[in-house]
Amino acid sequence: ALEPIAVALGDPPYVETSPTRGAFVIAQTNATAEIILDTNDFPGVQIAANNLRTDISRVTSRVPGLGNTLSNDDASPILIGTLGRNRWIDALVRERTIDVSRISGKWESWLTQVVPRPFPGVKKALVICGSDKRGAIFGIYDLSENIGVSPWYFWTDVPPKHHEALFVKAGQFVHGPPAVKYRGIFLNDEAPDLTGWAKEKFGGYNHAFYTNVFELLLRLKANYLWPAMWDNCFGEDDPLNAKLADEYGIVMGTSHVEPMMRADKEWGRAGFAAHEWNFQTHSNELKNFWREGIERNRDYEKIITIAMRGKIDTPMSPTANIGLLEEIVDAQRQIIGDVLHTNAADVPQLWALYKEVLEYYEKGMRVPDDVTLLWCDDNWGDIRRLPSFADRNRPGGSGIYYHFDYVGGPRNYKWINSVQNEKTWEQMELAYHYGADRIWIVNVGHLQHVTFPTEFFLTLAWDPRKWTADKVPAFSEMWAEREFGKELAPEIADVMSRYTKDSARRKPELLSPETYSLVNYDEAAEALAEWRQLAVEANDIYQKLPSDERDAFYETILYPVEAGKNLNELYIDAAKNRLFAAQGRASADDYAARVRELFAADSSLSVYYNHTLAGGKWDHMMDQTHIGYTGWQQPETNIMPQVTRIEASEPAKLGVAVEGSERVWPGSSGEAVLPMFDKFNQPTHYIDIFNKGKSLMTVTVQASAPWILVGENSNEIPQRDSTGESIENENRFPVKIDWTSAPEGTTNGFVKISTEKNTVLVRVPVFNPRKPSRRSIKGFVEADGYVSIEAAHFTRNVRAYHARWKLVPNLGRTLSSMSIFPVTAPSVTPPDNSPRLEYKMFLFDSGPVEVETMLSPTLNIVSGRGLRFALSFDDQPPQVITAVPENYAAGDGNHDWERTVADGVRIIRTPFSISKAGQHTLKIWMVDPGVVLQKIVIDCGGQRPSYLGPPESFHKISR
């Protein structure tokens, strides 16, 4: 009973369902505390207090009173207010009944305190006191969250759990100030989903829509918004939009392409559609246009975007015309000062260094020091540049514009969540420690698909120091517990963690039949098995949940898992159809039918989301197309992958395919050979035996030696495949080795496949060296022509005095990552003062090898410096590798960048020569911070093509 109901994520709880000594009663059987406000307080505080009243009734089914008079009848009120705006709280401060020294004068800070006998006749009070209006508002919503009302109660339909009684523990609970001053979201790329939904439910992007956004932001302790802008004008669409934003307590801005508080589409609506958006030719029109934007928002809290880009998010000119842009900034600041009757330096402004604008900055353009420099990512979550030491001393400071959703190259991504919190953490850790802490704003697209990473981003912005790398996984469990309860929280957090990893491997819009290899390392089957297992677990959790929590779970987890699984299966089955048709397998037609079924299933999932889920509340929220991209822009409708039908011959006809090859026997030149079997990894490989005809075919499968173990599948083809699903005309035979009786050394055996008319011999190569033994291995061991290593599985981690490699759990495509901390460590030239990771391995041959390092797609965030690391074997001198050159162009047209962000990893291949067989140590040295190492593959001549690289090699590590 004394367990907390809920908690603001990462904060200590203070609300319970049973009383403790000195506790304050919010509600119990015969009492409900009244909420008391001062009429002099800010409108946003009064709105939030009224919402608290509703929240208490949601939880307890009893509606507390809400008033402006404090009675002396032994009452116990909830006393809410802002310092200097609430006469009762100010009196408590004067009488030193409460100590506000920890919040007074601070930005967006508050205290929550149980105060015995605050006034004569008042038994006890719960005081929520804000240092400013948002401090008070955040304190109110913090209490709402602690009593069990999720910030997402409207946006993801999370129901509050009913409690008969609520108590606040005795004591004082202080929060703030936030680490990042302005924290917010950008509703961008909002059509068709959010736009269709807003039009149907609210009539458009009006105040009825936006008040739901304002409230959500405040419940998440955010304060800043760039509104929807594709075909929308926040200030014009509804005059109440801006007024209510200010009353609620939201700081408004406009996007990086919309200067001076004017929406992009207002230029045309103002009658200037025929006029070029060009300051050189239409400066008077632009000045008047901008002046109206500042006048319209004169009395509202805002951050003004300054400077200028071209229309529709394009460069203003082919080259960086710095003189012109500086003239534009001067004109804009003159307007700001004139309209607001103040020094422009006293008005918050930002300059977004987005895309080509960063080039202007790097070529020497500067804005006044009071303007915030808004540094940007590459639209794919990789920050392009961060402030220099000189920039960190500017009064205007620096901020970050980040993306969870994007329209542009190499491809749009805006359907379901494909964001790993771990990557967000790693990049924003850089931002915070490099001094970009004035503004954090993230593009959330249509919002509902990225609720989970959005809350993580805003929570991180409040206090990045609280969320170290090892604590990021705990966020998922805290979130799951708050939304769905303690019992299932570990399972839900695990599913969410694995889902976001798998989805971020390659964003859904970039998937294709070519993504995963069908023939190498069983990669496609393994990837699909992960998705299928996620779907099984998610559905199992769904069934365990109370009925009123299922909609919320479906929206945040089950739909993206089911839809992601379905899409991966669709493309993998399309790949099978194409390969099997080329191989002449009669089963190609079965896979063509499966592709059609899966394509229809994708549509059915969207229809359910739009029309049935939550009683049709979210109609249009899953209108986004996501199948059939041929370029960066989305298709108008989903387009099913092309499939091929074959005309199988009437008589039975043998076909044999082996793992590691797309060829078919009989008929192909050369012999059929399975990948190497080695005693260290002890793999299972497969032989596919299939029918190219329609009639029943009987085969005989025989191994040449008793230590070759062939799966006991039926020898009648057609047959079911190993997944148990009905696929006719083929069978997969697993092949293993009995290592207790396999001969030592390098051996070849055979599997003989025979029908009445044909025989195919499949060679089984076996590597069973006498030395080293599995037991004696230290580190990794080569097999099948490669050594594959997860970065986290180092055999030694050697730190330097100023820096070290540290684990970032779960970050990356396969396991976890290693990166340099502190992130501000100075660059070094190894081996001096360079921390290193060591990976021991046993190699069976000398000669050339190639080291393939797989890095996260991080960029060179420090101006004038590339992004480097170094490699060496054994005692060789470190070889410095440039991962990202100093003048790297991260953006459309750079094919290396496009490939890197699409793959979610930067792959660098470095040649080495190994002098002799035996034990060796690969060393990876720090040169620059910011390198994030995910995986290493040493290709000894046998690595085969795959998306994720070979599975990790056998290893034994003792530390």
Side-chain angles (χ1 to χ4, degrees), residues 179-182 303 349-353 361 367 369-376 383 385-401 428 430-441:
V180 178
K181 187 171 186 179
Y182 297 104
I303 302 175
Q349 298 155 60
L350 68 82
W351 182 34
L353 303 175
Y361 177 85
V367 293
D369 281 354
D370 59 90
V371 176
T372 301
L373 299 179
L374 193 67
W375 306 88
C376 304
I383 295 172
R385 191 75 81 241
L386 284 171
S388 65
F389 286 110
D391 290 328
R392 293 173 215 175
N393 294 321
R394 299 173 68 259
S398 293
I400 293 293
Y401 170 38
M428 301 316 290
L430 291 170
Y432 179 68
H433 287 284
Y434 276 82
D437 59 3
R438 185 62 54 90
I439 300 169
W440 284 11
I441 188 162

Side-chain angles (χ1 to χ4, degrees), residues 200-211:
E200 178 177 310
K201 303 302 181 183
F202 301 101
Y205 288 103
N206 53 31
H207 74 277
F209 163 81
Y210 272 113
T211 50

Side-chain angles (χ1 to χ4, degrees), residues 182-219:
Y182 297 104
R183 311 161 306 282
I185 65 172
F186 178 20
L187 296 174
N188 188 219
D189 311 331
E190 64 272 19
D193 293 352
L194 189 64
T195 295
W197 178 76
K199 285 181 177 178
E200 178 177 310
K201 303 302 181 183
F202 301 101
Y205 288 103
N206 53 31
H207 74 277
F209 163 81
Y210 272 113
T211 50
N212 291 291
V213 179
F214 303 155
E215 182 185 326
L216 171 69
L217 288 173
L218 295 169
R219 286 180 182 268

Side-chain angles (χ1 to χ4, degrees), residues 612-756:
T612 304
L613 176 69
K617 177 180 176 180
W618 300 112
D619 192 17
H620 296 294
M621 271 297 192
M622 284 303 151
D623 284 355
Q624 177 62 53
T625 57
H626 48 275
I627 307 174
Y629 277 79
T630 56
W632 69 266
Q633 184 58 283
Q634 66 194 40
E636 289 299 311
T637 59
N638 286 325
I639 302 169
M640 190 186 83
Q642 185 176 359
V643 294
T644 302
R645 291 185 61 87
I646 68 168
E647 190 62 41
S649 61
E650 189 62 40
K653 188 176 180 182
L654 174 66
V656 176
V658 298
E659 181 180 345
S661 175
E662 295 184 355
R663 293 187 294 168
V664 177
W665 291 268
S668 292
S669 60
E671 63 178 337
V673 184
L674 284 169
M676 179 69 71
F677 291 83
D678 70 281
K679 74 171 183 180
F680 305 104
N681 294 286
Q682 299 187 359
T684 297
H685 297 306
Y686 65 82
I687 301 171
D688 280 351
I689 304 174
F690 52 90
N691 192 347
K692 295 184 176 182
K694 295 180 180 179
S695 56
L696 184 68
M697 178 179 70
T698 302
V699 298
T700 301
V701 180
Q702 294 177 314
S704 63
W707 42 265
I708 301 175
L709 308 176
V710 183
E712 297 178 359
N713 289 355
S714 168
N715 64 352
E716 289 190 349
I717 312 295
Q719 179 63 32
R720 292 179 182 271
D721 74 352
S722 60
T723 67
E725 300 198 21
S726 181
I727 295 295
E728 295 187 350
N729 304 308
E730 65 186 34
N731 203 346
R732 172 160 290 185
F733 285 78
V735 181
K736 299 189 293 185
I737 302 299
D738 178 3
W739 294 102
T740 62
S741 57
E744 286 188 351
T746 301
T747 309
N748 287 296
F750 293 89
V751 174
K752 181 180 179 182
I753 299 126
S754 304
T755 64
E756 290 182 0

Side-chain angles (χ1 to χ4, degrees), residues 467-719:
W467 300 99
T468 55
D470 58 315
K471 291 183 179 176
V472 174
F475 177 89
S476 300
E477 190 161 341
M478 293 177 189
W479 170 84
E481 182 174 342
R482 187 196 64 196
E483 304 296 86
F484 303 107
K486 189 171 185 177
E487 181 180 355
L488 294 173
E491 295 175 49
I492 293 171
D494 180 60
V495 167
M496 182 61 94
S497 175
R498 287 154 52 210
Y499 152 66
T500 51
K501 176 187 280 289
D502 286 357
S503 186
R505 279 177 172 173
R506 192 170 188 86
K507 294 187 182 295
E509 293 85 349
L510 280 153
L511 288 170
S512 74
E514 292 74 38
T515 298
Y516 295 111
S517 176
L518 287 180
V519 298
N520 292 326
Y521 311 119
D522 217 13
E523 184 178 57
E526 290 292 332
L528 184 54
E530 289 181 23
W531 277 103
R532 285 175 169 169
Q533 183 60 32
L534 277 171
V536 167
E537 293 176 30
N539 275 286
D540 182 58
I541 294 167
Y542 181 82
Q543 295 301 323
K544 293 176 183 177
L545 287 169
S547 58
D548 65 340
E549 295 180 11
R550 290 180 176 178
D551 283 349
F553 185 79
Y554 189 89
E555 292 162 31
T556 53
I557 298 176
L558 186 55
Y559 172 80
V561 167
E562 283 281 11
K565 185 267 293 184
N566 190 81
L567 187 68
N568 276 266
E569 191 159 10
L570 170 77
Y571 281 121
I572 289 171
D573 281 358
K576 288 181 178 179
N577 164 259
R578 296 176 190 183
L579 175 62
F580 294 174
Q583 292 176 334
R585 301 194 195 195
S587 64
D589 288 353
D590 298 309
Y591 281 100
R594 283 263 293 265
V595 169
R596 295 186 188 94
E597 292 169 2
L598 292 163
F599 185 72
D602 176 271
S603 178
S604 296
L605 286 166
S606 297
V607 167
Y608 175 82
Y609 200 111
N610 285 340
H611 302 302
T612 304
L613 176 69
K617 177 180 176 180
W618 300 112
D619 192 17
H620 296 294
M621 271 297 192
M622 284 303 151
D623 284 355
Q624 177 62 53
T625 57
H626 48 275
I627 307 174
Y629 277 79
T630 56
W632 69 266
Q633 184 58 283
Q634 66 194 40
E636 289 299 311
T637 59
N638 286 325
I639 302 169
M640 190 186 83
Q642 185 176 359
V643 294
T644 302
R645 291 185 61 87
I646 68 168
E647 190 62 41
S649 61
E650 189 62 40
K653 188 176 180 182
L654 174 66
V656 176
V658 298
E659 181 180 345
S661 175
E662 295 184 355
R663 293 187 294 168
V664 177
W665 291 268
S668 292
S669 60
E671 63 178 337
V673 184
L674 284 169
M676 179 69 71
F677 291 83
D678 70 281
K679 74 171 183 180
F680 305 104
N681 294 286
Q682 299 187 359
T684 297
H685 297 306
Y686 65 82
I687 301 171
D688 280 351
I689 304 174
F690 52 90
N691 192 347
K692 295 184 176 182
K694 295 180 180 179
S695 56
L696 184 68
M697 178 179 70
T698 302
V699 298
T700 301
V701 180
Q702 294 177 314
S704 63
W707 42 265
I708 301 175
L709 308 176
V710 183
E712 297 178 359
N713 289 355
S714 168
N715 64 352
E716 289 190 349
I717 312 295
Q719 179 63 32

